[in-house]
């Protein structure tokens, strides 16, 4: 297939569809936020951390051991995930446990994982 096979030879044929989509189109700020969200998810290490936290809440030490990383490196990635509101933490004495922020994050992560397994 060539690129020409994917191109329309008109300027606008389905104005009703274009207008309907345009009416519901988010503003640029929302697209920027959505792009940043997927960029955070697009990192190999953060994906491994999210996978682990999808299975169970864990502390930095356990994540570092599981992923064969330093505690500092894991903490750095967790900080980015917290800022993006993808993980949350809770304190139990001196230990801080991390988990996925909510069911939305769990659903997005698991749906993505299911999708790539179907390929």
């Amino acid at each position: 297939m060539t690129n020409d096979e994917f191109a329309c030879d008109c300027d606008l044929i389905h104005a009703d569809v274009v207008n309907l989509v345009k009416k519901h189109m988010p503003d640029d700020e929302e697209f920027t936020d959505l792009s940043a969200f997927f960029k955070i998810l697009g990192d190999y290490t953060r994906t491994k951390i999210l996978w682990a936290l999808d299975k169970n809440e864990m502390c930095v030490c356990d994540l570092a051991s599981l992923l064969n990383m330093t505690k500092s490196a894991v903490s750095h990635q967790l900080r980015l995930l917290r800022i993006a509101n993808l993980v949350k933490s809770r304190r139990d004495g001196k230990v801080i446990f991390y988990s996925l922020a909510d069911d939305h994050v769990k659903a997005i992560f698991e749906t993505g994982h299911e999708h790539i397994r179907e390929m």
Side-chain angles (χ1 to χ4, degrees), residues 10 12-20:
C10 61
L12 180 63
I13 194 167
H14 302 101
D16 54 335
V17 172
V18 171
N19 289 330
L20 178 67

Side-chain angles (χ1 to χ4, degrees), residues 12-49:
L12 180 63
I13 194 167
H14 302 101
D16 54 335
V17 172
V18 171
N19 289 330
L20 178 67
V21 172
K22 187 183 287 188
K23 180 179 174 181
H24 298 285
M25 197 138 182
D27 62 20
D28 286 347
E29 183 178 345
E30 199 166 327
F31 278 117
T32 299
D33 292 345
L34 186 59
S35 176
F37 171 78
F38 282 110
K39 186 175 180 178
I40 288 289
L41 290 176
D43 178 84
Y44 176 81
T45 300
R46 289 190 289 268
T47 301
K48 287 174 74 173
I49 291 171

